[in-house]
């Protein structure tokens, strides 16, 4: 006894799945390349801002100017960190991320958050307040 069946539909479906997989992989590579290029393009002017800000911090004797310069430094550091996080997510997807333990200080992190959103909140007439549990440790290891 022989059984003859037409597998043309299954074959065509498998070929189409393979084609879609290749397209998805190409799109993922294009996205990763785009993120890498754009992060470099964004980091370059941010690094220039950080460099100029360092000059202001070193040379200025006015406390108000130094305070503003410290806020600029904090905001630039936050932006660079966000860009690096975007790149890290791209590296995670490609399996190329290396995990390096780092120590984070809670007070520094909260200061960065406040500096990033304080002016926007004030412009909208909002009061910004932060309450931190005194039992939380100041340092965290990632």
């Amino acid at each position: 006894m022989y059984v003859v069946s037409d597998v043309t539909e299954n074959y065509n479906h498998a070929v189409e799945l393979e084609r879609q997989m290749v397209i998805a992989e190409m799109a993922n590579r294009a996205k990763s390349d785009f993120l890498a290029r754009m992060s470099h393009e964004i980091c370059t002017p941010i690094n220039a801002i950080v460099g100029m800000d360092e000059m202001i911090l070193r040379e200025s004797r006015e406390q108000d100017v130094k305070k503003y310069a410290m806020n600029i430094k904090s905001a630039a550091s936050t932006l660079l960190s966000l860009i690096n996080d975007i790149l890290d997510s791209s590296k995670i997807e490609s399996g190329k991320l290396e995990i390096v333990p780092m120590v984070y200080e809670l007070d520094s992190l909260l200061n960065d958050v406040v500096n990033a959103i304080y002016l926007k909140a004030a412009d909208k007439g909002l009061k910004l307040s932060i309450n931190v549990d005194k039992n939380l440790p100041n340092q965290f290891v990632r």
Side-chain angles (χ1 to χ4, degrees):
M1 172 153 64
Y2 292 98
V3 175
V4 177
S5 58
D6 185 2
V7 294
T8 305
E9 187 176 325
N10 289 344
Y11 175 79
N12 288 340
H13 183 65
V15 168
E16 179 62 18
L17 284 175
E18 182 67 29
R19 188 179 78 78
Q20 291 295 327
M21 205 159 113
V22 168
I23 290 171
E25 288 172 1
M26 288 172 52
N28 192 39
R29 265 186 262 129
K31 178 193 72 167
S32 295
D33 291 345
F34 172 78
L35 287 173
R37 276 196 302 276
M38 288 310 298
S39 66
H40 174 73
E41 295 298 322
I42 293 169
C43 285
T44 300
I46 292 174
N47 285 324
I49 292 167
V50 169
M52 295 300 288
D53 190 52
E54 282 296 323
M55 291 173 56
I56 293 169
L57 284 168
R58 268 189 257 133
E59 296 178 15
S60 179
R61 302 290 176 240
E62 297 177 40
Q63 290 305 311
D64 283 347
V65 171
K66 282 190 163 199
K67 180 181 171 188
Y68 298 144
M70 285 303 295
N71 288 340
I72 291 169
K73 183 176 182 176
S74 176
S77 175
T78 301
L79 282 172
L80 288 172
S81 178
L82 288 170
I83 291 166
N84 286 329
D85 287 347
I86 291 169
L87 281 177
D88 286 349
S89 69
S90 176
K91 288 178 185 177
I92 289 170
E93 288 176 4
S94 66
K96 297 178 182 175
L97 180 69
E98 293 180 29
I99 297 176
V100 178
M102 293 182 67
V103 176
Y104 289 93
E105 294 186 6
L106 182 61
D107 57 355
S108 177
L109 177 64
L110 291 175
N111 183 58
D112 291 349
V113 169
V114 168
N115 285 334
I117 62 175
Y118 176 77
L119 290 177
K120 286 187 179 186
D123 287 346
K124 295 180 180 184
L126 300 173
K127 179 184 174 191
L128 177 65
S129 65
I130 295 180
N131 297 313
V132 180
D133 186 338
K134 295 191 184 322
N135 295 321
L136 283 175
N138 188 48
Q139 292 189 336
F140 295 91
V141 178
R142 171 183 170 196

